Amino acid sequence: MKPLSVSKNIVSLSEFKARASQMLHEVQNSHHPLVITQNGKAAAVLISPTDFDALTEQARFIDAVEKGLADVQQGRVVADEDLDLEA
């Protein structure tokens, strides 16, 4: 996902409604997120399905690493030699 451009990637809900098809196409092709505002405040962020998949995969990876580090800190580990004996 590419970085946000304030001048190009923040639109009001009414502008999004008027140009939804075009904006969806732009998000899918540019991979820039689109912030949609309502009453002057951020209400939603639109990203492409590819970028969403990448973000969720990254989140799952980070979660797995954090769980592994917690296991190490809690002593919930098996030495390589012991693992070979269990196989």
Side-chain angles (χ1 to χ4, degrees), residues 27-29 31-33 46-53:
V27 166
Q28 288 177 345
N29 290 329
H31 294 276
H32 286 280
L46 181 66
I47 61 174
S48 72
T50 302
D51 291 335
F52 178 80
D53 288 344

Side-chain angles (χ1 to χ4, degrees), residues 17-56:
K17 286 179 182 179
R19 299 179 35 225
S21 180
Q22 176 189 358
M23 290 183 179
L24 286 171
H25 187 352
E26 288 175 11
V27 166
Q28 288 177 345
N29 290 329
S30 71
H31 294 276
H32 286 280
L34 181 67
V35 177
I36 302 168
T37 62
Q38 188 174 28
N39 299 321
K41 296 180 181 178
V45 177
L46 181 66
I47 61 174
S48 72
T50 302
D51 291 335
F52 178 80
D53 288 344
L55 285 173
T56 55

Side-chain angles (χ1 to χ4, degrees), residues 1-86:
M1 180 170 41
K2 295 184 179 176
L4 178 72
S5 170
V6 175
S7 63
K8 292 169 47 175
N9 301 110
I10 299 178
V11 298
S12 66
L13 180 58
S14 59
E15 184 180 356
F16 178 74
K17 286 179 182 179
R19 299 179 35 225
S21 180
Q22 176 189 358
M23 290 183 179
L24 286 171
H25 187 352
E26 288 175 11
V27 166
Q28 288 177 345
N29 290 329
S30 71
H31 294 276
H32 286 280
L34 181 67
V35 177
I36 302 168
T37 62
Q38 188 174 28
N39 299 321
K41 296 180 181 178
V45 177
L46 181 66
I47 61 174
S48 72
T50 302
D51 291 335
F52 178 80
D53 288 344
L55 285 173
T56 55
E57 180 63 28
Q58 182 181 33
R60 284 192 301 269
F61 176 78
I62 290 170
D63 184 54
V65 169
E66 287 173 345
K67 286 179 181 177
L69 291 172
D71 284 343
V72 170
Q73 289 175 344
Q74 297 295 317
R76 295 185 299 253
V77 295
V78 176
D80 286 341
E81 302 81 30
D82 295 336
L83 186 60
D84 289 339
L85 295 175
E86 290 184 23

